[in-house]
Amino acid sequence: MSSHAAVTSGPPEAHHWDPQTAYSGAKLGMWLFLATEILLFGVLFTCFALYRWAFPAEFHEASGHLKISAGAINTAVLIFSSYLVALGVGAAQRGDNEKVKKMTLISVVCGLLFLVIKSYEYFGKFSEGLFPATHGADWVLYFPALVLGVFLLIAAALTAFAFAAFHYHEYSKFYKYLGGAIVVMVLFPFLVSPLADLLSSIIGSVATLPEHTHYAWRGDGLTQSYKMYFGLYYAMTGLHALHVILGMGILFWVYLLARRNRFSSEYFTPMEIGGLYWHLVDLIWIYLFPLLYLID
Amino acid sequence: MSAHAATAEGENYLNWQKGIWSWITSTDHKRIGLMYLFSLVTFFIIGGMAALVMRLELAQPGAQFLDPNQYNVMFTLHGAIMIFLFIVPGIPAVLGNFLLPLMIGAQDVAFPRLNLMSYYVYLLGAVMALIALLNPIDTGWTFYAPYSMQTATGVTLMTAAAFVLGFSSILTGLNFIVTVHKLRCPGMTWHRMPVFVWATYATAVIQTLATPVVGMTLVLLLVERYFGIGVFDPKLGGDPVLFEHLFWFYSHPVVYIMVLPAFGIVGEIIPVFSRKPLFGYHMVCYATLGIAVVGFLVWAHHMFVAGISDGSAMYFSIITFGVAIPTAIKVFNWVSTMYKGSISLTTPMLYAMAFVFLFMIAGTTGIYLATLAVDVFYHDTYFVVAHFHYTIQGGAVIGLIAGLHFWFPKITGKMYNEHVSKVAFLLVFVGFNLTFLPQFVLGMEGMPRRYFDYLPQFAPMHELSTIGAFINGFGYTFALVNLLWSWAFGKRKAEKNPYDSLSLEWKCDSPPIHLNFETVPTVDDYPYAYGTPVEGGGH
Ligand SMILES: [Cu+2]
């Protein structure tokens, strides 16, 4: 990479930053990134607001299908993990690597729990027909959704390993892990043959007329605005779930750094920016929950 | 600053590491700038060829050698490549990367590895876009719903490509913002920064804040294509105008991503070759930021005939007029800088002056289009095509070429052939105006845009436009060959500071060493104190 092969430790980019600037620069960078994330979700919030205003009765009725208890448990899980991450930041600033390890790992588990509860909710909706399905066979939806989740998690973990290796300038390991993550993601469509036609239509330029690839909703009695509600519900919570997975990857990377006793009172940037990211994931859910589940 | 061994004599960023691997893994902002440059030039050539094919087809009424579908594919190819692969990354990716750290006295951008990653994300997006465009696509570069949800062409891959390219743009913008905030050298206060840095900063803000919106919108378009949830589909209770709102919320500010950095370049060139302080430096800086802010508030002027309410149309019309104010401030600043200056008509100066002239035409015709009643007639005519090209080609592209000539000695360490470059300039200038002035006339006479065929009465102007396009293309080729030739075989070495400029990038070697400066530079004035005495002071 850069000429400074001699620099084997220390934060990345340190060759032209003094530590204080590196710290504040990384934080500014993360805040800017969080701003872009909020704008990303902002589009979906805008759409939701517009159509809720257009179809208030249908949206109200459709939201009644959601399990408030599941949403509430998930809210608690995320807030609790955010609290742990905040403790982790404090621990990193004191150089307490043991505590950082504990806090990040439990938070990753919380993220996992969140995803499990979320998939349980999704599958409930699928079986009610509140999803555009291909052939009506439920397993066609359950199976790929589960497998996709697992693949994404593995890829996120491998990427975290890759970043940790990169951090220590261990480039051969970096390429190995990154290659692994890419292979996992590329293998996914091949391993899941029932998904092949769905994926080829999503990924490929081989798409036929989209009308033919629109999936039918099984609930015959559903009005269109019902579908709009659930379409937006899946778009918003799905995008959020992707962010949860990404956040878990970041926290796992922080965990790997802590395992090497990387943090001290002089250097704790990764924990702090990883924590910022996790708080955002939490915050978005705190807006999604009342919007989708609670508002009458 | 880490101590590093004194650089050997004659060592610079181009030769300090050798081999292709050292280039494609380089985190040096200067090398990354050059990699962008070569990628962009490649796509500019492809997009330019598509334009020439289109102009050739349009030279006469009736079909020449394309059928209407192939024509649609050609203009999508031209539009999508020029917008997404060439001019949006454009000046920030090339000259921004190369110059930003040099101008503020830094060793590199804030996150050099992220910078390299942005380049590869860009490359990935470019490959996806090319595959999609070969598929091909017939929606134009705007992907308007509901047609983009129904067409069987490769919209899916193209919108995915646009998303990836947007991600690259966001990361670059974020990197530049942190760089400007955190890595200015001692003494480099905000009010001592070169106007190009101000322009790149304002651009970076737009890149970071506008791009996520279009990214999500395109994702929603894909969701619509495959799951039909109805957000943009009128058949299903949705609103296609919503897509246009979200699309233009990004795609109007993106015009400033293209053209603000060109303002910066012109602001650097004119004082140097007029030997006068930049007139109203502070006004230039804040007008740049002002344009960036106001640019977020005017998007629906693209939609006056799309069925928006009269009230909002009036709002967007008035605010759009407002953009003219900061823009005009800049034009007056440039002209006042030249007034009674000791002007030398070098090639960059010629391009800069052409920029001011062309951009004035672009701006005033923009006022026509911002006027509600007038826009109803002009909106779907060649008037818009001409206005747009005066803005983007006459503005952003001419600005980029001005900058490439101006900083050529710094980038390559060589001087280019001045005579050849002036001939090329003349061809570009004449060719450009010959292409697009007739299109204003066509628009006023009612020639609709995007059409494959036209009535015989439009033929003479179309013919002129086609001739102009080829002269224009020839001019660009000439300029490009001249620069490449001078770089490869030129005999004249560039000095450190061939123009006696006061800006920081001219204080390091030509070409600069890997880490830019031997010692950390310090600054005690703004870089435009040319001539005597400095009036206004306050810097
Ligand atoms: Cu606009």
Side-chain angles (χ1 to χ4, degrees):
Chain A
M1 305 311 288
S2 71
S3 65
H4 304 274
V7 183
T8 48
S9 65
E13 335 294 9
H15 66 287
H16 69 296
W17 293 64
D18 63 85
Q20 187 51 40
T21 325
Y23 166 69
S24 61
K27 255 174 76 162
L28 176 61
M30 184 43 97
W31 276 107
L32 284 168
F33 190 69
L34 298 188
T36 70
E37 293 279 24
I38 288 170
L39 284 157
L40 198 74
F41 276 94
V43 173
L44 292 175
F45 280 112
T46 306
C47 291
F48 188 87
L50 276 174
Y51 289 114
R52 191 179 193 288
W53 179 64
F55 310 112
E58 292 90 337
F59 267 46
H60 173 68
E61 201 191 318
S63 76
H65 284 264
L66 299 185
K67 280 204 182 66
I68 294 183
S69 56
I73 295 172
N74 260 347
T75 310
V77 167
L78 276 193
I79 292 180
F80 177 63
S81 71
S82 241
Y83 169 67
L84 295 184
V85 162
L87 290 181
V89 172
Q93 286 169 344
R94 294 189 304 273
D96 185 350
N97 285 284
E98 278 311 307
K99 191 163 179 192
V100 173
K101 266 161 53 186
K102 232 180 280 166
M103 293 304 146
T104 48
L105 210 55
I106 302 175
S107 297
V108 169
V109 173
C110 285
L112 206 57
L113 184 63
F114 176 91
L115 291 176
V116 169
I117 296 174
K118 198 78 223 152
S119 345
Y120 160 74
E121 269 193 275
Y122 273 5
F123 293 153
K125 300 290 152 309
F126 292 172
S127 56
E128 286 180 55
L130 297 169
F131 186 84
T134 36
H135 312 296
D138 290 341
W139 66 273
V140 174
L141 291 167
Y142 295 176
F143 177 64
L146 260 184
V147 177
L148 177 63
V150 172
F151 268 75
L152 280 177
L153 281 172
I154 297 174
L158 283 172
T159 312
F161 275 116
F163 270 94
F166 195 74
H167 194 93
Y168 290 104
H169 302 261
E170 293 164 354
Y171 295 118
S172 61
K173 271 193 191 170
F174 165 71
Y175 288 124
K176 219 163 48 188
Y177 288 126
L178 192 68
I182 293 169
V183 167
V184 166
M185 288 317 292
V186 172
L187 274 185
F188 166 67
F190 294 102
L191 288 182
V192 192
S193 53
L195 256 192
D197 77 321
L198 175 63
L199 273 162
S200 64
S201 61
I202 288 178
I203 296 168
S205 50
V206 288
T208 49
L209 263 185
E211 267 96 352
H212 300 284
T213 56
H214 276 175
Y215 300 102
W217 297 70
R218 278 192 296 125
D220 285 338
L222 298 180
T223 62
Q224 178 49 41
S225 28
Y226 238 79
K227 296 176 194 168
M228 187 105 79
Y229 176 87
F230 275 99
L232 284 168
Y233 165 80
Y234 285 120
M236 294 167 104
T237 54
L239 186 69
H240 178 259
L242 283 180
H243 281 77
V244 171
I245 293 178
L246 197 66
M248 286 162 69
I250 292 173
L251 289 179
F252 189 58
W253 165 64
V254 175
Y255 164 79
L256 289 174
L257 297 185
R259 222 169 54 164
R260 296 229 204 164
N261 293 320
R262 191 63 200 83
F263 300 117
S264 64
S265 50
E266 273 89 53
Y267 179 64
F268 45 82
T269 314
M271 180 68 232
E272 199 158 328
I273 60 169
L276 276 177
Y277 191 80
W278 191 255
H279 292 322
L280 178 88
V281 171
D282 186 12
L283 188 71
I284 288 173
W285 179 257
I286 286 174
Y287 279 93
L288 283 178
F289 176 56
L291 200 64
L292 293 170
Y293 292 73
L294 297 183
I295 292 182
D296 266 332
Chain B
M1 297 289 163
S2 64
H4 52 91
T7 317
E9 185 64 27
E11 188 182 293
N12 59 52
Y13 81 100
L14 291 166
N15 64 16
W16 76 285
Q17 278 182 332
K18 295 212 184 346
I20 186 85
W21 186 251
S22 79
W23 275 85
I24 60 180
T25 61
S26 174
T27 55
D28 184 327
H29 65 98
K30 302 181 287 302
R31 285 188 167 199
I32 292 174
L34 280 186
M35 294 200 289
Y36 271 116
L37 176 62
F38 286 111
S39 318
L40 294 193
V41 167
T42 310
F43 295 125
F44 181 64
I45 291 170
I46 299 174
M49 303 271 233
L52 290 182
V53 170
M54 245 179 354
R55 278 316 319 166
L56 210 54
E57 171 59 45
L58 288 168
Q60 298 287 326
Q64 320 300 320
F65 55 94
L66 296 177
D67 64 40
N69 263 333
Q70 288 169 325
Y71 175 82
N72 283 354
V73 168
M74 266 309 150
F75 90 58
T76 306
L77 191 75
H78 169 69
I81 287 190
M82 286 300 199
I83 299 281
F84 292 116
L85 303 187
F86 173 64
I87 202 66
V88 172
I91 299 171
V94 178
L95 291 172
N97 253 317
F98 194 95
L99 293 169
L100 185 64
L102 291 173
M103 282 182 159
I104 60 172
Q107 289 187 342
D108 207 317
V109 292
F111 310 110
R113 291 167 183 170
L114 189 71
N115 200 19
L116 182 66
M117 185 178 132
S118 307
Y119 174 73
Y120 283 108
V121 173
Y122 162 76
L123 216 56
L124 173 72
V127 170
M128 287 165 70
L130 284 181
I131 294 172
L133 287 167
L134 292 177
N135 194 29
I137 304 179
D138 59 352
T139 60
W141 72 278
T142 51
F143 313 117
Y144 268 18
Y147 181 67
S148 56
M149 285 145 51
Q150 294 156 2
T151 172
T153 56
V155 170
T156 306
L157 192 59
M158 185 62 215
T159 45
F163 185 87
V164 171
L165 289 165
F167 198 60
S168 162
S169 188
I170 289 174
L171 293 180
T172 302
L174 189 153
N175 214 337
F176 285 0
I177 293 177
V178 179
T179 307
V180 172
H181 274 279
K182 298 293 175 186
L183 293 183
R184 283 168 289 127
C185 69
M188 180 63 80
T189 58
W190 284 78
H191 287 165
R192 288 178 188 160
M193 294 196 313
V195 285
F196 181 73
V197 175
W198 277 91
T200 310
Y201 179 80
T203 308
V205 171
I206 306 175
Q207 283 177 302
T208 312
L209 297 185
T211 316
V213 175
V214 81
M216 197 60 229
T217 307
L218 295 177
V219 170
L220 266 182
L221 186 68
L222 294 190
V223 173
E224 276 291 62
R225 253 175 96 80
Y226 291 103
F227 297 104
I229 62 175
V231 179
F232 301 137
D233 193 340
K235 268 189 304 195
L236 306 177
D239 187 357
V241 177
L242 177 61
F243 176 85
E244 294 182 30
H245 275 295
L246 293 170
F247 180 82
W248 288 113
F249 182 82
Y250 163 77
S251 297
H252 181 79
V254 84
V255 174
Y256 299 119
I257 295 182
M258 304 171 197
V259 87
L260 277 183
F263 288 175
I265 289 173
V266 171
E268 297 299 323
I269 293 174
I270 287 180
V272 171
F273 294 118
S274 305
R275 307 314 298 169
K276 268 187 66 192
L278 179 62
F279 185 89
Y281 164 78
H282 292 99
M283 287 303 268
V284 175
C285 301
Y286 288 105
T288 309
L289 283 186
I291 291 174
V293 173
V294 179
F296 273 103
L297 309 174
V298 297
W299 73 88
H301 61 214
H302 296 267
M303 302 162 56
F304 288 155
V305 295
I308 59 174
S309 72
D310 288 351
S312 61
M314 273 190 277
Y315 159 81
F316 281 107
S317 171
I318 290 167
I319 305 289
T320 304
F321 282 123
V323 181
I325 297 169
T327 318
I329 288 177
K330 285 170 156 294
V331 171
F332 289 129
N333 280 310
W334 296 323
V335 175
S336 311
T337 305
M338 285 190 274
Y339 177 67
K340 288 192 175 174
S342 158
I343 295 176
S344 36
L345 290 177
T346 58
T347 311
M349 186 62 173
L350 287 175
Y351 277 111
M353 287 160 69
F355 172 96
V356 176
F357 174 72
L358 299 175
F359 203 78
M360 249 155 46
I361 298 180
T364 36
T365 52
I367 296 291
Y368 289 43
L369 294 172
T371 313
L372 287 173
V374 178
D375 184 65
V376 171
F377 177 73
Y378 280 152
H379 185 82
D380 277 313
T381 70
Y382 263 65
F383 195 89
V384 170
V385 180
H387 159 71
F388 179 80
H389 283 84
Y390 266 86
T391 316
I392 299 308
Q393 199 189 143
V397 180
I398 296 282
L400 174 62
I401 293 177
L404 285 178
H405 280 87
F406 184 62
W407 283 289
F408 185 84
K410 186 53 65 186
I411 295 171
T412 65
K414 300 273 185 70
M415 299 302 277
Y416 55 84
N417 186 321
E418 187 82 28
H419 299 290
V420 180
S421 67
K422 278 181 181 160
V423 175
F425 164 76
L426 205 66
L427 289 171
V428 168
F429 186 73
V430 172
F432 173 77
N433 284 298
L434 193 57
T435 313
F436 292 107
L437 276 179
Q439 294 191 5
F440 279 125
V441 179
L442 281 172
M444 287 188 266
E445 288 175 350
M447 167 78 207
R449 61 186 163 119
R450 297 185 154 194
Y451 274 35
F452 164 72
D453 195 4
Y454 51 82
L455 298 173
Q457 76 221 45
F458 297 125
M461 286 296 154
H462 268 299
E463 208 167 315
L464 269 184
S465 183
T466 300
I467 295 171
F470 276 84
I471 298 176
N472 196 2
F474 189 63
Y476 283 135
T477 316
F478 216 45
L480 181 70
V481 169
N482 177 40
L483 289 183
L484 288 176
W485 181 276
S486 304
W487 190 353
F489 307 112
K491 294 277 182 292
R492 280 197 304 149
K493 290 244 183 303
E495 300 158 35
K496 250 186 180 184
N497 190 355
Y499 318 124
D500 289 324
S501 167
L502 297 174
S503 183
L504 211 48
E505 78 272 21
W506 298 104
K507 300 225 160 55
C508 56
D509 294 342
S510 298
I513 59 171
H514 165 56
L515 291 175
N516 298 348
F517 299 94
E518 296 278 1
T519 52
V520 182
T522 51
V523 176
D524 55 12
D525 198 0
Y526 85 145
Y528 305 106
Y530 298 108
T532 49
V534 187
E535 285 152 279
H539 302 290

